Amino acid sequence: MDSKFIAFRLHSFCFLLLFSHVTFGELSYSFPEEMKRGSVIGNLAKDLGLETGALSNRRARIDTDGTDKRYCDINLNNGELIVADRIDREGLCEEKASCILRHELVLENPLELHRISLHIQDINDNSPQFKEELINIEIHELAVRGARFVIEEAHDADVGQNSVQQYSLKKNDNFILAANGNTIELVLDKELDREKQQKLNLLLTALDGGSPQRSGTVVIHVTVLDANDNAPVFSQAVYEASLPENSPVDTVVVTVSATDADEGINGNITYEFGHITENVKKMFCIDSKSGEIRVIGAVDYETTTSYEIRVKAKDGLGLSSYAKAIISITDVNDNAPVVNLKSLTNPIPEDTTPGTEVGIINVQDRDSERNRQVRCSIQQGAPFKLVPSIKNYYSLVTTGQLDRELVSDYNITITATDEGSPPLSSSKSVQLSVADINDNPPVFEDQSYSAYVSENNKPGSTLCSVTARDPDWRQNGTVIYSVLPGEVNGAPVSSYVSVNGDTGVIHAVRSFDYEQLRSFKVQVMARDNGSPPLSSNVTVSVFVSDVNDNSPQILYPAPEGNSFMTELVPKAAHGGSLVSKVIAVDADSGQNAWLSYEIVKSTDPGLFTIGVHSGEIRTQRDISESDSMKQNLIVAVKDNGQPSLSATCSMYLLISDNLAEVPELKDISYDEKNSKLTSYLIIALVSVSTFFLTFIIIILGVRFCRRRKPRLLFDGAVAIPSAYLPPNYADVDGTATLRSAYNYDAYLTTGSRSSDFKFVTSYNDNTLPADQTLRKSPSDFADVFGDSDGSPEQKPPNNDWRFTQGQRPGPSGATGGPEVAMGTGPWPQPPTEAEQLQALMAAANEVSEATATLGPGTMGLSTRYSPQFTLQHVPDYRQNVYIPGSTATLTSNPQQQQATAQQATQQALPPPQASAQPEPPKAAQTPASKKKSTKKEKK
């Protein structure tokens, strides 16, 4: 903006009204019209002495009166007042000499109101204009020199120096121009001669005083006529009228009149408007015959308060005169007050102190004077009031404490009423919300809670639920539950219960035992999510109810298997005598601990009875001689729970006056029902014997099968059939008797290649030396038996290893033939069934010897069994063995068997030989004893 077109003028003043925090001042700026949008008018921040950022922080804004258009705005970044819209002085103020636009600058925190007066300076942007492009004038030829003819002046929308300043008439022979203010006259300088020139064209130019200078022209067409020497004359030079606004159309405002002294056509007067604006043309019209000025548009006082109209009267031959009509518009109370909400703090924190300003209200009425006076009011019952501030501004302040939990929203109606007649009013509703503050802690629905749970409950089961309400909003009203730290029986309370943080449901963490814990208390805290958070606590009492989960415990007599309890009953006891008493307790409580006693089994059912509730055992009748000395009672103790649990005990009674009369006190403990342990031991013994016999049979079967199959000395390495063995070696059949003079049977298990096996040296020179060892390699084994290939046939047995008749197995007293006695001839026949049975019995005797070494009555079992268990009543099945179909009896006496073995050994021993040969094996060994000796050699 060019500085030469701007003049700045600042007037500022401040004063106190109702509140000290409100100030009022005025700023005035002068600048030319038609400035571009965004042009800077002035700097408000600098002129008000404020920092640049203060305008933004204090919500600076431009307010206008009513619905006036806002032509300027504030740049909050730098505080400059800039042009917001096109400003045309002629359009805003028309022909007024002074054109002022009034705006208001509003600042908040604190509230300040500054008036801004914008003085619009005129620029020469309009040229002078005549109403018509051609002016027709009829002048009589008899007009004398110096006659004057009025010409309507030119109009320039600009004002002051930029308006019309002078006129010029193009040089001609007959007329000169006389201008006096707004009156322009053609002066006849030389008489006209119609016969010489009937028509003349004159060029009239209007010039303004602007820079650059502008001009406007009009052509004056002069027609020379006969004489018309009188012009119309108005009755008044100025006509004034008053017109109420909103007057209906066709209302007569004023009537102008003019007279003409001429007669005939020269005296006929017509009326018309002179030069008028477009607004006047739309608002009024004039009757050309009567001179009545009528309303043709909507008259509004708030738009234009007065109109000035130039009226022209013209006779029939063209002579005219002018008058002025001034129409003043009077105000009517036709505008209701308008309530404008300029600023509002929404939502309002509920902790706002009374007297806090929450809004700024502006009330405007476009009427004038008394019609413009406005009263504002607010509805009753709301904690708010309106406080008058500056001019037509009001502050909306609080009058009491706000509580969102009681009222969260306010719908405030503000009513404005003017002082007109009749008064007009309007109202505006303001919606205010109260912002929540975390000012309420959670509140539990109950002061305390009780939970009941049965013992042995499952972990995670629900105990109860606590509920707390928080009237606050959103996160301030969100409740979170937790268990406060504590101890129950020395353990953290968190190991007993837990609470769901969202729902408040309390769960059991463990299974409760009524006998250990009957009740406990837990502190539960409800906390909101506000800042800072608020909380409250409640006590939850947990009661554990009893469940019948404990069987009765018998204290006397002691339970079975722990001790041996015996009561003596005198023989002279009468019926009803107290014999003994069963004492029992139950860890449960209530009816679950109510005990009842009952005899479920007794030696003599009619001899004793027991008290149902006392447990006392009494005689039902007198003791008689026929009663058994030993009385066994089984007593059952039941509780009253659902389902009922019970325990039993045994009571052993002796009907005797003295313990000496009892021959075997220890036998009283024997009872068929209580002999389960003995039965288990017998079953175990039978099972072991059966397994052993089965194993013997399997071994015999395997040996029998191997006689017909080649034997492998190595598993998967070298197969050596029995045909390759030395001739004096042969297999042993199932009876374990020798068919050759001396034979050895070697059994190699899998993996024998990784171990050594030594053969026992015999008395025969053809036997395998004892110092030879079978190694892993089959070639080593072949070297030992290098001579075996040269003896395909078996050599006859050595006579030194012949069995005598007494050494051979078989029934007692069996004798052999002469061949056998002489040690020659074929090998004896296979053993008979009796011989095989005798060998089997020898194995049984060996088992009995092994078990006998463990001590009598124990059957070789572990001492973990009760020492009271004996085999005195178990028959000894080893005493005699009977052979079917034979009168012989095989005995298993170890001493007799040992003597027989020693005798046979002495008979079979040969004469002493060289000390280099080891002692040969005994010839009278039974298969069982052979196995035993073999086991010892292996060990």
Side-chain angles (χ1 to χ4, degrees):
M1 179 181 61
D2 195 347
S3 59
K4 69 180 182 179
F5 292 105
I6 298 179
F8 172 74
R9 183 168 54 92
L10 175 62
H11 302 284
S12 178
F13 60 94
C14 301
F15 59 92
L16 297 177
L17 292 178
L18 295 179
F19 299 96
S20 60
H21 69 282
V22 178
T23 61
F24 179 80
E26 182 174 355
L27 300 173
S28 179
Y29 296 92
S30 178
F31 59 95
E33 64 174 332
E34 300 295 343
M35 292 179 64
K36 294 182 180 180
R37 290 182 176 88
S39 300
V40 178
I41 300 173
N43 194 302
L44 294 177
K46 182 177 180 180
D47 297 336
L48 294 175
L50 301 175
E51 295 181 359
T52 304
L55 296 178
S56 177
N57 296 334
R58 298 182 63 179
R59 301 180 184 178
R61 62 181 179 274
I62 298 295
D63 283 351
T64 58
D65 293 335
T67 58
D68 293 344
K69 191 173 183 180
R70 188 171 64 181
Y71 293 96
C72 61
D73 204 348
I74 303 175
N75 187 339
L76 297 178
N77 295 327
N78 51 28
E80 293 178 344
L81 182 66
I82 60 176
V83 177
D85 202 353
R86 177 176 178 265
I87 300 177
D88 184 11
R89 182 191 179 284
E90 291 74 29
L92 295 175
C93 303
E94 296 182 353
E95 297 180 357
K96 293 180 180 180
S98 176
C99 183
I100 301 176
L101 296 179
R102 300 186 185 278
H103 289 356
E104 291 179 349
L105 172 63
V106 179
L107 301 176
E108 298 183 10
N109 300 321
L111 177 63
E112 293 183 8
L113 181 64
H114 300 273
R115 291 182 179 179
I116 301 176
S117 298
L118 303 177
H119 296 264
I120 311 302
Q121 296 178 353
D122 183 48
I123 63 174
N124 191 24
D125 58 341
N126 293 283
S127 300
Q129 292 182 352
F130 289 92
K131 179 182 178 182
E132 298 174 352
E133 295 181 357
L134 179 64
I135 299 176
N136 292 313
I137 300 177
E138 294 178 352
I139 301 176
H140 199 275
E141 63 178 341
L142 297 179
V144 295
R145 185 175 180 273
R148 294 176 177 268
F149 302 94
V150 179
I151 302 300
E152 185 176 359
E153 74 275 12
H155 177 75
D156 194 330
D158 298 325
V159 295
Q161 190 66 25
N162 296 325
S163 63
V164 178
Q165 298 296 322
Q166 60 181 341
Y167 295 91
S168 65
L169 182 63
K170 188 177 181 181
K171 187 176 181 179
N172 60 81
D173 297 334
N174 300 102
F175 297 93
I176 60 174
L177 183 64
N180 184 14
N182 290 331
T183 302
I184 304 173
E185 294 177 329
L186 287 176
V187 180
L188 183 62
D189 186 48
K190 181 182 179 179
E191 295 178 352
L192 299 174
D193 187 357
R194 183 177 179 278
E195 287 71 23
K196 291 183 178 180
Q197 191 175 5
Q198 294 182 358
K199 296 181 179 180
L200 296 173
N201 289 324
L202 306 176
L203 181 62
L204 178 64
T205 302
L207 301 173
D208 59 20
S211 178
Q213 190 179 48
R214 293 176 178 270
S215 63
T217 60
V218 65
V219 176
I220 302 174
H221 183 72
V222 179
T223 302
V224 181
L225 299 176
D226 287 336
N228 180 18
D229 52 353
N230 293 296
V233 178
F234 281 97
S235 60
Q236 299 177 200
V238 178
Y239 294 87
E240 294 183 356
S242 178
L243 177 67
E245 65 173 328
N246 301 326
S247 295
V249 177
D250 207 28
T251 299
V252 177
V253 181
V254 66
T255 302
V256 298
S257 65
T259 59
D260 194 325
D262 296 327
E263 295 180 354
I265 191 173
N266 294 328
N268 293 333
I269 300 174
T270 59
Y271 301 96
E272 61 182 19
F273 288 140
H275 177 76
I276 58 176
T277 63
E278 293 296 329
N279 291 334
V280 176
K281 290 179 182 179
K282 295 177 181 179
M283 198 68 61
F284 302 100
C285 68
I286 187 170
D287 191 308
S288 61
K289 297 297 183 183
S290 63
E292 294 179 347
I293 299 176
R294 297 176 180 272
V295 177
I296 60 174
V299 180
D300 188 4
Y301 173 84
E302 289 71 35
T303 302
T304 305
T305 59
S306 65
Y307 296 92
E308 186 176 333
I309 305 174
R310 189 176 181 82
V311 182
K312 176 183 179 181
K314 184 177 69 171
D315 60 16
L317 294 180
L319 297 179
S320 62
S321 61
Y322 293 90
K324 183 183 293 185
I326 299 177
I327 303 174
S328 299
I329 309 299
T330 59
D331 182 41
V332 175
N333 190 25
D334 60 341
N335 292 282
V338 178
V339 180
N340 298 314
L341 184 63
K342 296 298 184 179
S343 177
L344 183 65
T345 302
N346 193 24
I348 309 169
E350 61 177 327
D351 59 350
T352 301
T353 58
T356 302
E357 183 183 76
V358 297
I360 299 175
I361 308 298
N362 176 255
V363 181
Q364 295 180 356
D365 195 322
R366 300 185 63 191
D367 295 326
S368 63
E369 298 180 356
R370 188 176 182 83
N371 297 332
R372 192 182 180 89
Q373 302 299 320
V374 180
R375 301 187 315 271
C376 278
S377 62
I378 194 172
Q379 66 187 29
Q380 300 295 326
F384 300 93
K385 69 177 180 178
L386 289 175
V387 177
S389 182
I390 304 172
K391 193 181 175 182
N392 50 356
Y393 281 86
Y394 296 84
S395 296
L396 180 64
V397 298
T398 59
T399 59
Q401 189 67 40
L402 303 178
D403 190 353
R404 193 206 68 85
E405 288 71 39
L406 297 178
V407 181
S408 59
D409 297 283
Y410 291 93
N411 190 7
I412 302 174
T413 302
I414 300 174
T415 304
T417 305
D418 60 21
E419 298 294 335
S421 180
L424 299 179
S425 64
S426 63
S427 60
K428 183 177 182 64
S429 295
V430 179
Q431 188 75 24
L432 286 176
S433 299
V434 181
D436 183 51
I437 299 297
N438 191 26
D439 56 346
N440 293 280
V443 178
F444 286 93
E445 293 182 350
D446 298 328
Q447 295 182 353
S448 63
Y449 291 85
S450 298
Y452 298 90
V453 59
S454 299
E455 64 172 331
N456 302 326
N457 58 296
K458 293 183 178 180
S461 59
T462 300
L463 300 181
C464 66
S465 177
V466 296
T467 304
R469 307 291 182 184
D470 194 327
D472 291 327
W473 194 45
R474 289 189 176 176
Q475 66 177 9
N476 294 332
T478 301
V479 180
I480 299 176
Y481 302 92
S482 61
V483 177
L484 292 179
E487 291 187 355
V488 177
N489 287 349
V493 70
S494 59
S495 64
Y496 285 84
V497 295
S498 64
V499 63
N500 189 305
D502 297 328
T503 62
V505 177
I506 300 177
H507 301 277
V509 177
R510 62 169 63 178
S511 179
F512 300 133
D513 189 356
Y514 174 81
E515 288 72 34
Q516 297 181 0
L517 182 65
R518 299 193 176 187
S519 65
F520 60 92
K521 293 184 178 181
V522 179
Q523 290 288 330
V524 178
M525 179 181 68
R527 176 180 57 84
D528 57 27
N529 271 338
S531 179
L534 302 178
S535 62
S536 60
N537 303 334
V538 71
T539 301
V540 179
S541 300
V542 181
F543 298 94
V544 182
S545 59
D546 184 43
V547 174
N548 190 27
D549 59 340
N550 290 283
S551 300
Q553 183 179 0
I554 300 175
L555 303 180
Y556 182 84
E560 299 179 21
N562 293 337
S563 62
F564 178 72
M565 303 299 296
T566 305
E567 294 285 350
L568 290 179
V569 181
K571 295 181 179 181
H574 299 287
S577 299
L578 178 62
V579 175
S580 182
K581 183 177 182 179
V582 178
I583 302 175
V585 294
D586 197 318
D588 296 323
S589 64
Q591 66 176 3
N592 296 328
W594 297 348
L595 302 180
S596 60
Y597 302 86
E598 178 186 3
I599 297 176
V600 297
K601 186 176 182 181
S602 63
T603 305
D604 189 350
L607 183 57
F608 298 99
T609 183
I610 189 170
V612 177
H613 301 294
S614 63
E616 295 178 349
I617 300 176
R618 298 179 180 272
T619 57
Q620 294 189 26
R621 55 179 176 78
D622 296 342
I623 301 298
S624 62
E625 295 295 336
S626 60
D627 294 330
S628 175
M629 179 183 297
K630 303 175 183 178
Q631 296 289 333
N632 297 333
L633 302 181
I634 299 178
V635 178
V637 183
K638 297 182 180 180
D639 57 23
N640 199 32
Q642 293 295 332
S644 177
L645 301 178
S646 62
T648 59
C649 66
S650 297
M651 178 68 72
Y652 305 108
L653 304 178
L654 291 177
I655 302 177
S656 176
D657 294 331
N658 191 353
L659 290 177
E661 299 177 0
V662 183
E664 295 180 358
L665 187 59
K666 62 180 180 178
D667 293 341
I668 197 168
S669 62
Y670 176 77
D671 186 79
E672 293 181 359
K673 183 177 181 180
N674 298 326
S675 60
K676 295 182 178 180
L677 183 59
T678 304
S679 302
Y680 294 155
L681 294 175
I682 295 175
I683 294 174
L685 180 60
V686 173
S687 301
V688 171
S689 301
T690 304
F691 174 77
F692 180 76
L693 294 177
T694 304
F695 178 75
I696 293 299
I697 295 173
I698 293 174
I699 292 300
L700 296 176
V702 171
R703 289 184 177 183
F704 180 78
C705 294
R706 287 183 178 179
R707 292 182 58 187
R708 294 169 176 79
K709 296 181 180 179
R711 182 178 295 104
L712 299 180
L713 295 180
F714 299 94
D715 53 337
V718 179
I720 303 177
S722 59
Y724 290 94
L725 295 177
N728 292 336
Y729 288 79
D731 192 17
V732 181
D733 61 358
T735 59
T737 57
L738 295 177
R739 300 174 124 185
S740 181
Y742 38 89
N743 292 334
Y744 298 91
D745 196 355
Y747 296 93
L748 301 180
T749 61
T750 58
S752 296
R753 291 175 294 175
S754 61
S755 61
D756 299 337
F757 181 83
K758 289 183 179 295
F759 293 94
V760 180
T761 304
S762 67
Y763 288 97
N764 196 320
D765 296 335
N766 295 329
T767 58
L768 184 67
D771 55 353
Q772 296 296 330
T773 303
L774 183 60
R775 297 294 180 178
K776 297 180 180 180
S777 175
S779 61
D780 297 338
F781 184 82
D783 295 339
V784 176
F785 298 98
D787 300 333
S788 60
D789 295 338
S791 303
E793 295 181 1
Q794 183 178 356
K795 296 181 181 181
N798 195 333
N799 296 332
D800 296 335
W801 281 95
R802 291 291 185 179
F803 279 81
T804 61
Q805 185 64 31
Q807 294 173 339
R808 295 184 179 182
S812 302
T815 57
E819 297 178 357
V820 176
M822 294 300 294
T824 59
W827 189 261
Q829 295 297 328
T832 62
E833 293 180 0
E835 294 176 348
Q836 295 180 4
L837 183 57
Q838 184 179 5
L840 185 59
M841 285 307 304
N845 290 332
E846 183 179 357
V847 174
S848 64
E849 291 176 1
T851 56
T853 59
L854 299 178
T858 61
M859 295 184 65
L861 299 177
S862 173
T863 57
R864 68 177 178 268
Y865 297 103
S866 175
Q868 298 176 0
F869 178 77
T870 60
L871 299 178
Q872 297 177 1
H873 300 278
V874 180
D876 190 357
Y877 56 87
R878 301 170 296 170
Q879 300 294 331
N880 297 304
V881 177
Y882 299 93
I883 301 175
S886 173
T887 58
T889 300
L890 299 179
T891 179
S892 61
N893 191 339
Q895 297 178 356
Q896 181 181 358
Q897 183 180 2
Q898 184 177 1
T900 304
Q902 292 178 357
Q903 182 180 3
T905 303
Q906 294 176 0
Q907 294 176 3
L909 285 178
Q913 295 181 5
S915 59
Q917 294 182 353
E919 184 182 356
K922 298 179 181 180
Q925 285 182 329
T926 61
S929 61
K930 179 182 178 180
K931 293 181 180 292
K932 182 177 180 181
S933 62
T934 305
K935 293 179 181 179
K936 291 181 180 180
E937 292 176 2
K938 290 183 178 180
K939 292 181 180 180

